[in-house]
């Protein structure tokens, strides 16, 4: 549970409200903070961006492979709702079921066979800021640097087990989870509750309905009581505060596949690319942008590397702006859907501005390019980041 607030107090507060607790909005304390996030957001760990909180990557330096809740980024379209697991239920419905809608209580879900797996959740816009700052290409959206990612150990049930129990028909093509947070309204348009269809093949493969994160019940901000975790896919697929799942025998769409989370721009067809699914390959240095490093001293550079497509093969670094590269040391055994920590020592000689670059290559041969292909909403930035430092 969130260390910031006592769950019982919040529920007492909400009991006074005329809405069912299951559909409760964020309590006044979050609204008062302006961003709608319930957990503390100390400025050395997070940068607040509207209704979202980016993890400062430098603050990950002392964390392990799993990102603790108090360092995990938050991406909210509206604000974190406080739901009551005893009132919560999941409804599975739609033309792709053999019969009527099926409901699962929290207890019923928890009594199904449980699985635990590590996976990163990474926003499709992670790294977006570098389209503008590094490539001179303005893009729309939250200007994340590289901290819209976290890795956790998720425990829950397989979506496939739930769909099978609900009677999914072989004709089902799309499965659309929907959140219980407030409808998303932007620019005067009400887009409805956050929802996005998944191909049935992915839903029946490795998707989890998670109720625990790093061995604790899901924190409010990360989807309590139950969220979807879609390994390898952009973060929007991992719907938080899950309320219902539509299973359909015909293709589904939502604003999150038609207007958002597809690629528009010169490199793409006029109507945009297909809706995006899998994430990409990246690396990040656990150092503030513009950090000051002393000349003549050995500095241990550390960072993270990840790829949604295959386990990481190796990470290279360059401390002279990309002229020369050498391999960093991997501190973890690479695995699918997680990330690895890496380190490399560097003794800068001359004072002045410098750029440190890191580049991930995965076992399928995918490597970070020098430039990302531009799209107007700044998704899937995968280029090598030229990390500015000042040697003093
Ligand atoms: N689910 C709901 N219901 N509402 C949301 O706003 N944001 C999505 C996804 N699931 C969102 C959601 C996006 S864009 C991302 S990147 C991830 O949640 C972020 O998960 P986190 O906040 O736990 O880090």
């Amino acid at each position: 549970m969130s260390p910031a607030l006592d769950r019982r107090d919040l529920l007492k507060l909400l009991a006074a409200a005329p809405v069912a607790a299951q559909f409760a909005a964020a309590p006044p304390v979050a609204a008062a903070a302006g961003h709608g996030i319930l957990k503390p957001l100390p400025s050395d760990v997070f940068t607040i961006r509207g209704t979202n909180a980016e993890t400062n990557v430098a603050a990950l330096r002392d964390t392990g492979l799993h990102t603790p809740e108090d360092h995990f980024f938050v991406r909210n379209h509206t604000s974190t709702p406080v739901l009551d697991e005893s009132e919560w239920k999941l409804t599975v419905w739609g033309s792709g079921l053999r019969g009527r809608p099926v409901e699962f209580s929290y207890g019923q879900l928890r009594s199904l066979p449980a699985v635990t797996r590590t996976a990163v959740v990474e926003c499709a816009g992670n790294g977006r800021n570098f389209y503008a700052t590094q490539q001179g290409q303005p893009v729309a959206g939250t200007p994340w640097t590289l901290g819209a990612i976290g890795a956790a150990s998720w425990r829950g049930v397989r979506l496939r087990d739930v769909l099978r129990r609900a009677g999914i028909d072989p004709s089902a093509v799309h499965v659309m989870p929907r959140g219980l947070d407030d409808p998303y309204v932007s620019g005067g348009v009400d887009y409805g509750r956050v929802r996005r269809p998944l191909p049935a093949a992915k839903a029946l493969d490795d998707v989890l309905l998670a109720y625990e994160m790093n061995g604790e019940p899901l924190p409010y901000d990360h989807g309590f009581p139950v969220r979807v975790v879609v390994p390898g896919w952009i973060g929007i697929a991992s719907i938080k505060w899950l309320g219902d799942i539509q299973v359909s025998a015909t293709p589904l769409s939502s604003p999150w596949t038609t207007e958002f989370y597809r690629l528009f721009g010169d490199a793409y067809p006029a109507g945009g690319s297909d809706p995006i699914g899998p994430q990409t390959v990246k690396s990040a240095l656990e150092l503030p942008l513009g950090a000051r490093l002393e000349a003549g001293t050995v500095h241990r550079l550390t960072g993270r590397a990840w790829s949604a497509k295959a386990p990481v093969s190796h990470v290279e670094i360059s401390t002279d702006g990309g002229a020369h590269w050498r391999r960093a040391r991997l501190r973890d055994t690479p695995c699918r859907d997680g990330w690895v920590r890496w380190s490399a020592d560097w003794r800068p000689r001359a004072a002045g501005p410098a750029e440190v670059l890191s580049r991930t290559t995965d076992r399928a041969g995918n490597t970070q390019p020098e430039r990302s292909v531009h799209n107007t909403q700044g998704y899937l930035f995968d280029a090598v980041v030229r990390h500015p430092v000042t040697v003093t």
Side-chain angles (χ1 to χ4, degrees):
M1 91 151 269
S2 172
L5 296 159
D6 182 285
R7 182 167 281 157
R8 270 170 312 175
D9 287 350
L10 282 172
L11 291 173
K12 259 189 254 157
L13 190 98
L14 289 160
V19 287
Q22 167 156 0
F23 299 100
V29 61
H35 47 63
I37 296 171
L38 297 182
K39 68 184 179 183
L41 301 171
S43 59
D44 55 332
V45 179
F46 293 104
T47 301
I48 296 170
R49 302 193 185 281
T51 55
N52 315 297
E54 175 168 0
T55 304
N56 299 332
V57 181
L60 292 175
R61 192 175 164 111
D62 301 321
T63 64
L65 265 183
H66 294 142
T67 313
E69 177 207 349
D70 60 8
H71 281 60
F72 208 103
F73 86 105
V74 181
R75 162 69 176 120
N76 281 354
H77 281 72
T78 59
S79 54
T80 296
V82 174
L83 307 179
D84 178 349
E85 76 270 34
S86 66
E87 310 231 352
W88 180 87
K89 64 179 167 26
L90 168 65
T91 309
V92 185
W93 60 282
S95 61
L97 292 189
R98 282 196 297 277
R100 298 175 57 76
V102 178
E103 287 185 353
F104 296 84
S105 69
Y106 185 69
Q108 283 169 327
L109 210 70
R110 288 209 75 133
S111 68
L112 297 180
V115 288
T116 304
R117 62 172 299 165
T118 294
V120 300
V121 171
E122 182 185 13
C123 192
N126 196 24
R128 174 183 285 131
N129 196 32
F130 298 107
Y131 277 108
T133 59
Q134 189 165 292
Q135 302 193 168
Q137 295 169 311
V139 288
T142 305
W144 306 106
T145 56
L146 284 173
I149 182 168
S153 164
W154 307 100
R155 184 171 172 79
V157 299
R158 291 187 181 88
L159 175 55
R160 110 169 135 235
D161 289 348
V162 169
L163 293 175
R164 289 207 175 120
R165 276 179 169 76
I168 188 171
D169 190 82
S171 64
V173 291
H174 271 160
V175 169
M176 181 153 74
R178 181 164 55 165
L180 290 166
D181 41 341
D182 283 343
Y184 176 55
V185 180
S186 175
V189 179
D190 185 342
Y191 293 98
R193 293 187 190 275
V194 178
R195 63 201 185 282
R196 191 173 200 258
L198 277 172
K202 179 69 176 170
L204 291 168
D205 181 13
D206 57 355
V207 178
L208 276 193
L209 302 187
Y211 43 70
E212 280 182 18
M213 173 178 170
N214 296 334
E216 300 285 339
L218 277 184
Y220 290 127
D221 293 309
H222 299 290
F224 180 85
V226 176
R227 80 174 298 168
V228 181
V229 174
V230 183
W233 275 47
I234 55 173
I236 184 62
S238 293
I239 295 294
K240 303 191 277 188
W241 313 294
L242 180 63
D244 69 288
I245 301 177
Q246 181 181 1
V247 183
S248 178
T250 53
L252 297 172
S253 68
S254 86
W256 289 267
T257 52
T258 56
E259 284 196 38
F260 318 120
Y261 302 104
R262 66 195 301 159
L263 307 173
F264 298 97
D266 291 347
Y268 299 99
S273 70
D274 287 340
I276 51 180
Q279 257 291 1
T280 176
V281 53
K282 287 196 191 66
S283 58
L285 196 60
E286 293 165 340
L287 202 64
L289 290 163
R292 300 175 79 79
L293 301 175
E294 207 182 308
T297 306
V298 176
H299 299 276
R300 174 143 299 178
L301 303 175
T302 64
R304 310 264 158 165
W306 63 99
S307 168
K309 296 172 179 160
V312 168
S313 157
H314 56 272
V315 177
E316 298 154 290
I317 70 144
S318 167
T319 50
D320 57 5
H324 300 90
W325 293 88
R326 63 191 158 100
R327 287 212 177 182
R329 185 172 70 89
L330 299 190
R331 296 164 59 203
D332 303 294
T333 308
C335 60
R336 244 205 120 94
D337 304 322
W339 55 8
V340 289
R341 293 169 294 178
W342 56 263
S343 66
D345 290 343
W346 179 39
R347 176 140 57 107
R349 289 198 199 106
E355 279 178 341
V356 180
L357 282 60
S358 60
R359 180 168 66 196
T360 301
T361 301
D362 71 21
R363 286 190 198 151
N366 300 296
T367 192
Q368 293 186 256
E370 261 179 53
R371 272 178 84 82
S372 284
V373 178
H374 174 258
N375 63 90
T376 56
Q377 294 176 101
Y379 297 127
L380 301 183
F381 186 88
D382 58 352
V384 169
V385 169
R386 307 180 75 88
H387 194 114
V389 298
T390 301
V391 180
T392 57

